[in-house]
């Protein structure tokens, strides 16, 4: 009798554990450049898949860099799984540079686009997802909209710029260091025409240093406002009014050219989708506070868009 009771208790415990666990997570390698985390809900039905593409720089699949940890896209993946939506988030190929012997000057935005296309093709061929949506954050918005054309079932731009990166940088410099914007304009002109910039103020070295110029040259040739017009699919565009990296004017520019898209404006939300009630100090601190939760409006907005 005791052995039967013991077995019954084990079965109950196992059942409770299964009920508490709400999703599976596995590492999926697409090719030698790309691997990431596939998070799937427990479901026997085909579910939709969202592919997340990260922002500029060494931002890993979770939304973190070497100096900060906010876990934005790790959190978002887990929350979407609870809503019945699978996600795939991945590290850009720059994380493979040392292992594969890739030099900084050998990486371009076109490589990021190729990698995103490879990921979409991989999951489309897999055939188990009822739809595939691309969601790009910041720079990932531009990469995602180019990769989505003719391949994805929908596109989500999360705090992305609507104008080319040279215009963004020049406008930012004009506000922060008036006078340097003229030097930046000349350098970008040279970059576009010759593939190299030689005449620029030393203060702009972080933007135009020699080994970074090939990447900047590949990036500056794309205009998000032109690329997004090539998409024939549902589009969701998300911004927050506490974003200190991408201004709301970018949303206004998108709205002028694609008014038919869905727009989600979240009050008190910053660039990494967290709530900010205070000023810039709180905003900056949030980038290294993984305990902050994703704004619920974002989760609801993405869930509704994906399931429509």
């Amino acid at each position: 009798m005791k052995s039967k009771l013991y077995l019954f208790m084990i079965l109950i415990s196992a059942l409770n554990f299964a009920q508490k666990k709400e999703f599976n997570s596995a590492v999926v390698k697409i090719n030698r450049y790309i691997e990431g985390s596939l998070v799937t809900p427990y479901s026997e039905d085909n579910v939709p898949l969202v592919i997340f593409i990260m922002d500029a720089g060494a931002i890993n699949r979770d939304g973190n860099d070497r100096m900060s940890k906010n876990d934005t896209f790790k959190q978002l993946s887990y929350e979407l799984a609870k809503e019945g939506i699978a996600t795939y988030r991945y590290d850009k190929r720059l994380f493979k540079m040392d292992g594969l012997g890739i030099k900084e000057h050998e990486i371009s935005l076109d490589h990021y686009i190729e990698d995103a296309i490879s990921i979409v093709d991989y999951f489309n061929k897999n055939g188990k997802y009822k739809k595939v949506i691309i969601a790009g954050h910041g720079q990932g918005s531009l990469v995602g909209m180019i990769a989505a054309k003719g391949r994805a079932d929908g596109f989500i731009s999360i705090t992305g710029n609507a104008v080319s990166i040279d215009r963004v940088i020049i406008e930012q410099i004009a506000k922060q260091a008036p006078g340097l914007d003229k030097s930046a304009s000349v350098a970008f002109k040279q970059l576009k025409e010759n593939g190299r910039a030689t005449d620029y103020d030393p203060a702009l070295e972080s933007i135009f240093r020699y080994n970074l110029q090939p990447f900047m040259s590949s990036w500056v040739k794309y205009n998000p406002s032109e690329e997004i017009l090539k998409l024939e699919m549902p589009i969701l565009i998300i911004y927050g009014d506490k974003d200190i990296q991408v201004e709301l004017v970018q949303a206004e520019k998108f709205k002028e050219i694609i008014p038919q898209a869905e727009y989600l404006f979240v009050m008190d939300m910053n660039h990494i989708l967290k709530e900010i009630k205070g000023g810039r100090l709180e905003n900056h601190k949030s980038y290294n506070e993984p305990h902050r939760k994703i704004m619920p409006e974002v989760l609801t907005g993405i869930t509704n868009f994906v399931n429509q």
Side-chain angles (χ1 to χ4, degrees):
M1 181 67 180
K2 286 184 178 180
S3 62
K4 289 183 179 179
L5 180 61
Y6 181 67
L7 179 60
F8 177 74
M9 292 302 294
I10 290 177
L11 290 172
I12 291 295
S13 297
L15 180 61
N16 287 337
F17 177 77
Q19 288 174 337
K20 289 178 183 177
K21 193 173 181 182
E22 298 171 293
F23 50 80
N24 283 314
S25 181
V27 174
V28 174
K29 185 174 182 179
I30 304 298
N31 53 42
R32 74 193 195 109
Y33 300 111
I34 296 298
E35 66 178 52
S37 298
L38 177 66
V39 177
T40 54
Y42 281 111
S43 174
E44 295 181 0
D45 300 326
N46 287 352
V47 298
L49 172 73
V50 176
I51 299 170
F52 286 119
I53 305 175
M54 298 299 116
D55 203 349
I59 306 295
N60 69 15
R61 70 186 75 176
D62 295 335
N64 308 323
D65 62 21
R66 296 181 181 92
M67 302 298 292
S68 64
K69 180 179 181 180
N70 53 72
D71 284 345
T72 288
F73 288 93
K74 183 179 181 180
Q75 291 178 17
L76 191 52
S77 293
Y78 293 164
E79 292 302 318
L80 287 173
K82 296 174 186 177
E83 301 296 328
I85 297 171
T87 60
Y88 182 75
R89 63 190 199 279
Y90 64 97
D91 298 330
K92 290 174 285 190
R93 71 164 64 191
L94 66 83
F95 286 91
K96 297 285 188 178
M97 286 175 59
D98 293 340
L100 296 176
I102 302 171
K103 306 300 182 185
E104 183 183 38
H105 69 272
E106 295 174 328
I107 289 186
S108 73
L109 192 79
D110 293 307
H111 288 130
Y112 290 173
I113 295 168
E114 290 171 13
D115 293 339
I117 289 172
S118 296
I119 293 167
V120 180
D121 288 346
Y122 174 90
F123 286 110
N124 277 332
K125 289 175 183 176
N126 184 284
K128 65 180 289 188
Y129 301 101
K130 63 182 180 183
K131 64 170 71 171
V132 175
I133 309 289
I134 293 182
H137 181 232
Q139 182 194 77
S141 170
L142 174 60
V143 173
M145 66 179 69
I146 298 171
K149 182 185 175 184
R151 299 176 184 88
D153 299 296
F155 172 67
I156 303 172
S157 173
I158 305 173
T159 65
N161 285 303
V163 298
S164 58
I165 190 59
D166 57 322
R167 284 187 57 188
V168 172
I169 292 175
I170 290 169
E171 289 172 6
Q172 288 177 345
I173 292 174
K175 293 177 182 178
Q176 298 169 10
L180 280 180
D181 54 309
K182 293 187 175 109
S183 178
S185 296
V186 171
F188 274 120
K189 187 173 185 293
Q190 290 180 336
L191 204 57
K192 288 179 180 179
E193 295 176 351
N194 308 319
R196 282 293 178 186
T198 54
D199 299 325
Y200 58 87
D201 191 292
L204 301 175
E205 180 69 14
S206 63
I207 301 170
F208 297 107
R209 71 176 187 274
Y210 189 80
N211 285 340
L212 185 60
Q213 284 191 28
F215 187 90
M216 294 301 296
S217 180
S218 68
W219 190 359
V220 78
K221 68 183 180 181
Y222 292 108
N223 184 340
S225 290
E226 295 175 0
E227 299 300 330
I228 203 166
L229 286 173
K230 300 175 184 177
L231 299 183
E232 297 179 355
M233 62 186 66
I235 297 172
L236 171 64
I237 297 178
I238 301 173
Y239 288 94
D241 71 331
K242 291 292 181 72
D243 193 329
I244 55 176
Q245 292 183 239
V246 178
E247 297 180 350
L248 279 177
V249 67
Q250 300 296 328
E252 295 167 5
K253 292 180 186 297
F254 269 140
K255 206 160 190 178
E256 288 175 6
I257 61 169
I258 48 168
Q260 71 277 15
E262 291 184 37
Y263 289 85
L264 176 59
F265 299 98
V266 184
M267 297 295 293
D268 296 325
M269 185 180 80
N270 71 356
H271 190 68
I272 56 169
L273 316 182
K274 305 296 179 71
E275 183 178 40
I276 302 297
K277 288 294 189 181
R280 292 182 73 88
L281 179 59
E282 181 190 352
N283 210 324
H284 284 295
K285 284 178 62 179
S286 72
Y287 282 68
N288 205 26
E289 295 178 333
H291 62 274
R292 286 180 180 259
K293 294 182 178 180
I294 299 288
M295 292 290 280
E297 295 92 332
V298 173
L299 178 62
T300 301
I302 292 177
T303 300
N304 291 341
F305 176 78
V306 170
N307 288 329
Q308 67 184 4

